[in-house]
C-alpha cells in the first residue's frame, strides 16, 4: 500500500482549498437567483442598531498604506479607504460577479482610477511576497481554509504590516439557531470562528490580539424586528456598555459574542 508522503499530502490540501474556493465562487456568482438577499435583509433588520461592525475600522490607519481588501465582495470599503488616504487599494474576491459589482461601485463613487479589483483565490493570491502594508477583511476568513489563508497573509504582508479582520463567532447557541434557520444566506462551507482559530492566528502571527463585540444584544435581536430605529439605538447604547463591562470582567464570555475583530502583525 502506498503511504502518502508530505508532497502528496500538500497537493491534496491545495486541491481541497481550490475546491472550496470553487464552491464559494459558484454560491456568490449565483446568489442573485436565490432567496439570499431576502433572507440577508431580515438578518440585517434583526441586527439593526445593535451592529458594531464599523468599530473594526478604528483598529487600523490606512493613510499612506498599500491596502488589500481580502474577499472584498462588492467593495463596500474602497471609498472609505481612499478617503482615509490609502496609497493604493486592491480588492480581491473569488467571485467575478462580486468583482464586477466592486468595479461598478468604484465608478459610481468616482474612485475607479485609484483602486484595482482582481478575481483571485484568497488561499493563493498570486501577489509577490511583502506586497501590502495593511490587509483588511470583513467576513472572509470564515469562508476559507483558515491555516492556508493565514500562511498566505503572512507571506504577502510586509514585515511591519498589519492584518485586521471582522469575523463571526461560532460558540453562542442562539447564533447557531439563527444560522440553522437561515441556510440560504450561508454558503455550505462557511464556519464561524472558534477558540481554535484564535489559537491558529496566534501560532502563525507572533503578535496577535482580538476584541469582541455584541453579546447581550444577541437575545434581544428579535425585538429589532418591531422596535423603531430610535428605540433600537437607545437600547443598543445601554446594552453595549453592559457588554463591554461583562466582556472585560469575564473573558470566558468572549467566545460567545457575535463578532470578533482579529488584529495580526
Ligand atoms: C460574506 S461575503 C463578504 C464580502 C465583503 N467583504 C463584505 O463585507 O461585503 C464573503 C466573500 O468572500 C468571498 N470569498 C469566498 N471564498 C473566497 C476565496 N477563496 N477567495 C477569495 N474570496 C472568497 C466571496 O465571494 C464573498 O464575496
Amino acid at each position: 500500500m502506498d503511504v502518502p508522503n508530505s508532497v502528496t499530502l500538500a497537493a491534496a490540501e491545495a486541491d481541497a482549498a481550490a475546491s472550496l474556493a470553487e464552491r464559494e465562487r459558484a454560491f456568490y456568482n449565483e446568489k442573485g437567483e436565490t432567496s439570499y438577499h431576502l433572507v440577508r435583509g431580515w438578518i440585517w433588520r434583526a441586527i439593526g442598531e445593535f451592529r458594531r461592525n464599523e468599530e473594526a475600522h478604528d483598529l487600523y490607519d490606512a493613510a499612506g498604506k498599500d491596502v488589500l481588501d481580502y474577499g472584498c465582495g462588492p467593495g463596500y470599503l474602497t471609498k472609505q479607504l481612499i478617503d482615509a488616504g490609502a496609497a493604493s487599494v486592491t480588492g480581491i474576491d473569488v467571485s467575478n460577479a462580486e468583482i464586477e459589482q466592486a468595479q461598478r461601485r468604484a465608478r459610481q463613487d468616482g474612485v475607479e482610477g485609484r483602486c484595482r479589483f482582481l478575481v483571485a483565490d484568497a488561499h493563493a493570491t498570486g501577489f509577490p511576497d511583502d506586497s501590502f502594508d495593511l490587509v483588511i477583511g470583513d467576513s472572509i476568513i470564515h469562508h476559507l481554509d483558515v491555516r492556508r489563508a493565514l500562511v498566505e497573509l503572512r507571506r504577502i504582508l510586509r514585515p511591519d504590516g498589519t492584518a485586521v479582520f471582522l469575523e463571526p463567532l461560532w460558540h453562542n447557541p442562539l447564533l447557531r439557531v439563527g444560522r440553522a434557520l437561515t441556510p440560504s444566506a450561508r454558503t455550505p462551507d462557511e464556519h464561524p470562528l472558534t477558540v481554535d482559530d484564535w489559537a491558529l492566528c496566534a501560532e502563525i502571527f507572533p503578535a496577535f490580539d482580538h476584541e469582541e463585540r455584541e453579546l447581550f444584544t444577541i437575545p434581544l435581536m428579535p425585538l429589532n424586528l418591531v422596535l423603531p430605529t430610535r428605540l433600537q439605538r437607545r437600547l443598543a447604547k445601554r446594552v453595549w456598555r453592559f457588554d463591554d463591562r461583562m466582556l472585560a470582567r469575564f473573558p470566558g464570555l468572549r467566545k460567545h459574542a457575535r463578532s470578533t475583530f482579529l488584529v495580526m502583525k
Side-chain angles (χ1 to χ4, degrees):
M1 196 178 77
D2 286 345
V3 178
N5 60 32
S6 57
V7 176
T8 52
L9 273 180
E13 282 168 17
D15 281 352
S19 307
L20 166 61
E22 245 345 287
R23 290 192 295 276
E24 290 282 326
R25 183 204 308 274
F27 180 93
Y28 280 96
N29 275 355
E30 288 156 22
K31 74 184 199 304
E33 293 143 41
T34 69
S35 56
Y36 175 91
H37 288 294
L38 179 74
V39 177
R40 276 273 144 201
W42 281 101
I43 294 170
W44 283 120
R45 273 186 66 178
I47 295 170
E49 295 296 313
F50 294 165
R51 173 189 161 106
R52 295 180 76 175
N53 294 20
E54 285 66 25
E55 293 175 33
H57 307 296
D58 298 337
L59 300 177
Y60 61 81
D61 177 8
K65 310 249 168 69
D66 291 321
V67 185
L68 173 65
D69 185 352
Y70 196 66
C72 63
Y76 294 126
L77 299 175
T78 310
K79 185 163 186 312
Q80 187 176 317
L81 291 165
I82 289 171
D83 289 347
S88 73
V89 177
T90 304
I92 60 161
D93 200 284
V94 77
S95 153
N96 44 297
E98 297 292 313
I99 287 294
E100 281 159 24
Q101 269 207 53
Q103 285 163 335
R104 253 197 317 276
R105 178 181 293 269
R107 268 197 304 280
Q108 280 161 7
D109 288 342
V111 295
E112 76 270 37
R114 301 168 64 191
C115 51
R116 61 175 173 159
F117 295 100
L118 309 166
V119 175
D121 180 357
H123 301 106
T125 58
F127 293 119
D129 292 356
D130 303 339
S131 288
F132 299 99
D133 304 301
L134 176 63
V135 181
I136 54 151
D138 183 343
S139 311
I140 171 65
I141 300 293
H142 76 288
H143 287 269
L144 305 175
D145 171 330
V146 179
R147 181 180 285 279
R148 286 190 91 75
L150 295 179
V151 169
E152 178 68 354
L153 284 167
R154 184 94 206 263
R155 186 186 72 73
I156 61 176
L157 258 184
R158 295 187 178 131
D160 55 352
T162 305
V164 178
F165 292 95
L166 157 64
E167 298 293 330
L169 283 168
W170 173 245
H171 295 279
N172 191 308
L174 292 175
L175 293 175
R176 297 226 287 270
V177 170
R179 285 186 164 263
L181 292 173
T182 53
S184 60
R186 325 284 176 184
T187 70
D189 298 284
E190 69 179 71
H191 48 91
L193 302 189
T194 67
V195 292
D196 292 343
D197 294 306
W198 284 338
L200 201 51
C201 293
E203 182 191 318
I204 293 172
F205 284 87
F208 166 64
D209 205 355
H210 58 95
E211 292 184 14
E212 284 59 56
R213 297 288 190 282
E214 297 179 42
L215 177 64
F216 291 99
T217 48
I218 296 167
L220 300 173
M221 273 165 45
L223 276 181
N224 285 342
L225 298 175
V226 292
L227 281 183
T229 307
R230 182 177 43 85
L231 288 184
Q232 287 182 31
R233 216 169 274 153
R234 274 168 57 181
L235 182 59
K237 282 195 181 134
R238 284 170 190 229
V239 186
W240 288 349
R241 276 200 296 273
F242 185 64
D243 274 356
D244 290 345
R245 278 206 304 274
M246 290 296 121
L247 289 168
R249 188 143 178 216
F250 304 105
L253 288 176
R254 293 171 69 174
K255 67 179 184 184
H256 292 293
R258 188 175 78 84
S259 301
T260 183
F261 302 163
L262 312 174
V263 181
M264 301 181 258
K265 292 181 193 205

